[in-house]
Amino acid sequence: MVREVTEVLAPIPSGVLVDATVGAGGHTAALLERRPDLSFVGLDRDPAALAAAARRLPDGVRLHRCRYADLGAALAELGVGSLAGVIFDLGVSSMQLDTPARGFSYRAAGRIDMRMDPTAELSAAQIVNEWPLERLASLLRRYGDEPHAHRIARAIVARRPLHDTVALAEVVRAAVPARDRRRGGHPAKRSFQALRIAVNDEIAQIAPALTQSIDLLVRYGRGVVLSYHSGEDRVVKDTLAAAASGGCACPPRLPCVCGAVAGIRLLSRRPARPAPEETRRNPRATSARLRSFEKLRAAA
């Protein structure tokens, strides 16, 4: 949704724009063409992504390795005290999915890894081969919305040790009842998603990063968040709603008397979805949801 992102951010004031998931630099490259008056910072926890961005983007774009939740500290280290705009593109990137050795794909053989930061301690292989059955089933339910979580967890435990992504995907596929294998995409999709989210602590990173970026935005600065599944989007929606209400605790539909002051305004109540031509060109974009907001008060 590069077009939608650039349109939302087109009116922001001059200043610093941070791409908090710079990846291969697609969003930053598009905005560089449209807003040469901005300075850009690209953040990512994946060193391979930063290397790809460095090859694509001009030297003036500052690149820095960090997790979402460390956004504020990273920008302080770079001497950035306020932001004109921010982009979050949550979830796994095409570059990660298309590199079998990273272990994100259930379609290509590779090690069961799934670490966005290859130096992180926890890998998907540890979860698959070491976690007890009930903990594994709980993970598949919580982060994958997997209706057959217990069956799949039991099948995984019975086939341990597993070291190959295709072998793992086949175990999951075989554990899913035949009637459900024919709908909803690949039977291993939800399980791989759940493992990836757990390995990278993805859900817990979102709210702190969004809150930090909102605090840093100047007045009329804007933010864009792209999420790809309901768990991510729920956290984004709740975090933005709290900022838009200023933490108001008054009963709904009654005047606010608690003195809360809104920090942002939502640019739309419902998330934007990709256009049909984009989903035809890039099926991975089908589940994308775009939420956007504008800062109402000056940065602290």
Side-chain angles (χ1 to χ4, degrees), residues 242-263:
S245 72
C248 178
C250 299
R253 293 182 295 277
L254 290 179
C256 175
V257 296
C258 70
V261 179

Side-chain angles (χ1 to χ4, degrees), residues 5-262:
V5 169
T6 55
E7 287 177 355
V8 168
L9 296 174
I12 63 175
S14 296
V16 177
L17 186 142
V18 61
D19 188 340
T21 332
V22 70
H27 288 120
T28 294
L31 284 157
L32 271 165
E33 292 183 7
R34 188 158 183 172
R35 291 293 305 271
D37 59 310
L38 295 172
S39 60
F40 292 82
V41 174
L43 306 177
D44 210 294
R45 70 165 82 178
D46 187 341
L50 291 172
R55 290 190 295 269
R56 179 175 188 176
L57 301 173
D59 292 341
V61 176
R62 288 176 286 176
L63 301 174
H64 191 84
R65 183 176 171 187
C66 79
R67 305 179 309 159
Y68 284 145
D70 299 326
L71 177 146
L75 293 176
E77 185 178 335
L78 294 170
V80 176
S82 64
L83 298 176
V86 63
I87 307 168
F88 290 93
D89 191 356
L90 306 179
V92 67
S93 71
S94 293
M95 181 170 52
Q96 290 163 337
L97 284 170
D98 293 338
T99 307
R102 302 293 298 272
F104 290 99
S105 175
Y106 41 78
R107 299 186 185 278
R111 292 182 300 117
I112 302 172
D113 193 322
M114 304 191 195
R115 290 175 295 177
M116 293 177 178
D117 177 354
T119 67
E121 292 185 7
L122 182 65
S123 71
Q126 290 172 263
I127 297 175
V128 165
N129 291 311
E130 298 175 14
W131 280 23
L133 188 152
E134 291 300 332
R135 188 181 181 192
L136 180 56
S138 176
L139 167 75
L140 299 178
R141 279 191 296 269
R142 181 180 181 187
Y143 292 144
D145 297 321
E146 176 50 69
H148 307 294
H150 201 272
R151 289 174 62 119
I152 292 169
R154 190 166 61 243
I156 289 172
V157 170
R159 288 285 303 275
R160 286 173 172 170
L162 288 161
H163 302 293
D164 178 89
T165 51
V166 170
L168 172 61
E170 177 54 29
V171 170
V172 174
R173 189 201 67 80
V176 173
R179 66 180 182 277
D180 292 336
R181 294 178 201 159
R182 296 184 289 272
R183 60 191 182 201
H186 195 289
K189 180 179 179 179
R190 295 189 187 92
S191 296
F192 272 61
Q193 172 185 292
L195 289 167
R196 188 203 82 224
I197 289 171
V199 165
N200 297 290
D201 193 28
E202 292 178 38
I203 300 298
Q205 299 284 316
I206 298 170
L210 265 177
T211 301
Q212 291 168 35
S213 66
I214 290 169
D215 289 344
L216 288 167
L217 281 172
V218 300
R219 190 179 186 189
Y220 304 127
R222 290 185 170 192
V224 175
V225 188
L226 286 160
S227 58
Y228 296 87
H229 65 83
S230 59
E232 289 176 343
D233 187 57
R234 188 161 46 247
V235 176
V236 173
K237 179 182 177 181
D238 291 348
T239 304
L240 296 183
S245 72
C248 178
C250 299
R253 293 182 295 277
L254 290 179
C256 175
V257 296
C258 70
V261 179

Side-chain angles (χ1 to χ4, degrees), residues 265-272 290-293:
R265 73 178 181 95
L266 304 178
L267 296 177
S268 63
R269 288 289 171 182
R270 295 181 178 276
L290 185 154
R291 295 186 184 272
S292 55
F293 58 92

